[in-house]
Amino acid sequence: MKLIMSIVNSDDADRLVNTLKKASYRATTISTTGGFLRQGNATIFIGTEDENVPNVLQLIKDNCHTRTQYVNPLPPVMEPGEMYIPSPVEVQVGGANVFVLDVTEFARF
Ligand code: 2BA
Ligand code: 2BA
C-alpha cells in the first residue's frame, strides 16, 4: 500500500477530490500553507494499493495546473539616503508536488 501526499493549489483541490471520488479512491484533504509564498494550498492524502499509483498520479496531473506568481524579494539592508525599488520575481507554482510513501500498516477500527 502507498500513501500519496499531494500538495496542490486550493483552486484545483475540489475538482481533484471529485475526480478521485468518481474513480472510487479514498482521500483526505487538509488546508496547508506554503513555506515560501506563505499562501494557502491544499494537501490531499490518498491511501491506495500499489497498482493504483500510476492512475492516481495521472488524475492528479490532469486536474492540477501550473501557475505563475510574483513575489517581492526581501529588501536589502540600506544605508541612509539609499533607495530600494522592489522588482517582483516570477515563480512557477506547480501543478502538484507529490510524495509517494510506503505504508507499513493500515488499520481501521
Ligand atoms: P511554497 O513553499 O509557497 O512555494 C511556492 C513556489 O515558490 C514553489 O512552487 C517554487 O516555485 C517556489 N519556491 C519555493 N521554495 C523556494 C526556494 N527555497 N527557493 C526558490 N523558490 C522557491 P512549487 O515547487 O510548485 O511548490 C508549491 C508548494 O508545494 C510549496 O509552496 C510548498 O507548500 C509545497 N512544496 C513543494 N516542494 C516541497 C517539498 N520539497 N517539501 C514540502 N513541501 C513542498
Ligand atoms: P470520508 O472520505 O468523508 O469518508 C467517510 C466514509 O465514507 C468512509 O469511512 C467510508 O465508509 C465511506 N467512503 C469514503 N470513500 C469511499 C469510497 N470511495 N467508496 C466507498 N465508500 C467510501 P472511513 O473509511 O472510516 O473513512 C473515514 C475518513 O478517513 C474518510 O472520510 C477519509 O477522510 C479518511 N480515509 C479513509 N480511508 C482513506 C484512504 N485510503 N486515504 C485517505 N484518507 C482516507
Side-chain angles (χ1 to χ4, degrees):
M1 194 181 194
K2 298 278 194 252
L3 181 67
I4 302 169
M5 198 180 118
S6 180
I7 303 156
V8 306
N9 192 289
S10 304
D11 295 339
D12 293 332
D14 263 1
R15 189 178 48 238
L16 175 58
V17 169
N18 284 333
T19 305
L20 290 166
K21 195 175 159 188
K22 272 191 207 136
S24 297
Y25 292 111
R26 300 189 179 211
T28 298
T29 308
I30 56 173
S31 296
T32 43
T33 304
F36 190 68
L37 295 179
R38 303 292 166 102
Q39 288 176 4
N41 51 29
T43 300
I44 299 173
F45 294 94
I46 306 139
T48 192
E49 300 307 324
D50 290 21
E51 63 267 26
N52 296 329
V53 171
N55 186 233
V56 171
L57 294 182
Q58 189 61 48
L59 296 178
I60 295 171
K61 199 173 166 189
D62 292 346
N63 284 280
C64 301
H65 307 294
T66 304
R67 291 163 170 82
T68 302
Q69 284 188 233
Y70 293 88
V71 278
N72 285 316
L74 287 173
V77 179
M78 308 283 290
E79 295 293 333
E82 281 183 337
M83 200 171 73
Y84 169 68
I85 301 168
S87 87
V89 176
E90 185 182 299
V91 290
Q92 291 289 322
V93 185
N97 285 267
V98 186
F99 300 86
V100 181
L101 313 169
D102 280 323
V103 174
T104 49
E105 193 176 335
F106 169 70
R108 187 166 177 270
F109 301 111

